[in-house]
Amino acid sequence: MTGHVSAGRVTALTAELVRVDTQNPPGREAAIVSSVAAVLESSGCETRIFESPSGRPSVLARYSCGRPGAPTLLFNGHLDVVPVAAADWSVPPFGGIVRDGRVIGRGAADMKGGIAAAIEGLRACQDAGLPLAADVEFHLVADEETGGAHGTEALLDAGLIHADACIVPEPTELRVAVAERGSYQARIEVTGESGHGGEPGRSRSAIADAARLVGALHLATFHDEAHPLLGRPSCNVSMIQGGLATNVVAPHCEFVIDRRTLPGETAGDVLGSVVRKARETCPDVDFTVHPAFFCEASELPLPHPFADLLLDAAGAGSTPVGLSLGTDARFLRNRLGIPTVVYGPGSMRQAHAVDEWVSVTDLTAAARTFAKVIASFGQ
Ligand SMILES: [Zn+2]
């Protein structure tokens, strides 16, 4: 059935999806759901639009293989894209331009190309006239880029996700990703004592104390044992501000950390590790940690037959990899226990970048892999 994958069709659909501005924030998914639903209906799916309690729409589509009790293979992809600064782009970001073997535009790689490749995989199976052994569902969701609360998490809370396995076609350069790190972000407030700038030794500078803490936390190591695919947790001090006036010893300073996490680490674990590291290194510094954001890491523990199925379909030499960033796969893995693999066309280096693009070669290769998985799942 891979011979039925059409490069022209998957390219045209990617470009068509890119041409709809679905920037999040503010979250413009409403602009795209009816055209996506129409595409899926024309591919034999039953579709419906789900609205989160906040009114953000996602498309749910189901292609029935006609066998009662057949297992369900789910594709979960997000319709929202990150905002653009159009002045920085060399082409219109929502032009859906196809040039030199690439589709160029916001969302081409992250992840409208992946969604188009998944739909093309199903179309190729249909064109080949293959009898399928599994139902195929698509959850094309809102809000992944700002955390998923109004998209995949809203579907989960509404009890609408039931599947035996799931593929999230985010851009992985056609690699089979079975694990991803999470993220813990916090603001750390350091308190000093204001005093005359002419006698800085007489009072306690919050900036000087914060500098020591930054030195302790930035690039710190947190575990002796590395995860085989994800390595060790990392810590980046990403923003800092402090001080009152040029001639005053600084009474306040605060900075923000982004501590990437490993599977199994809770927000409490991470907070504990950060506080321990800070206290060990700087026991005399007066600081308070204000947690701001947490999304947990996740993984599909290997070996697993669904990972093997993807590795076989992806072709010779495929080995499982880990991602250093989070996707909606974490909801499916951690909250529902659904075996979930992230695999798709394009590169995360293109995701969120100026002049974002995905190659037609990748789109076609991903669609072939998806066609193989759809054809063999449940057989
Ligand atoms: Zn994405």
Side-chain angles (χ1 to χ4, degrees), residues 78 110 144-145 170:
H78 65 85
D110 183 14
E144 191 273 346
E145 294 291 1
E170 291 266 14

Side-chain angles (χ1 to χ4, degrees), residues 50-98:
F50 165 82
E51 276 199 7
S52 70
S54 57
R56 299 275 289 279
S58 296
V59 178
L60 311 187
R62 179 177 192 82
Y63 178 80
S64 169
C65 69
R67 297 190 191 182
T72 297
L73 173 65
L74 172 66
F75 287 90
N76 171 296
H78 65 85
L79 294 167
D80 58 323
V81 298
V82 292
V84 294
D88 298 338
W89 284 58
S90 69
V91 297
F94 300 103
I97 288 168
V98 182

Side-chain angles (χ1 to χ4, degrees), residues 1 62-63 65 67 69-75 125 130-137 162-167 300 304-310 313 338-341 369-379:
M1 91 307 296
R62 179 177 192 82
Y63 178 80
C65 69
R67 297 190 191 182
T72 297
L73 173 65
L74 172 66
F75 287 90
C125 289
L130 286 177
L132 302 186
D135 295 339
V136 181
E137 285 199 22
H162 306 279
D164 297 278
C166 177
I167 298 174
L300 171 62
H304 193 283
F306 189 59
D308 291 341
L309 181 61
L310 256 292
I338 296 173
T340 300
V341 164
T369 300
F370 295 144
K372 286 186 207 164
V373 175
I374 291 168
S376 55
F377 193 74
Q379 299 281 5

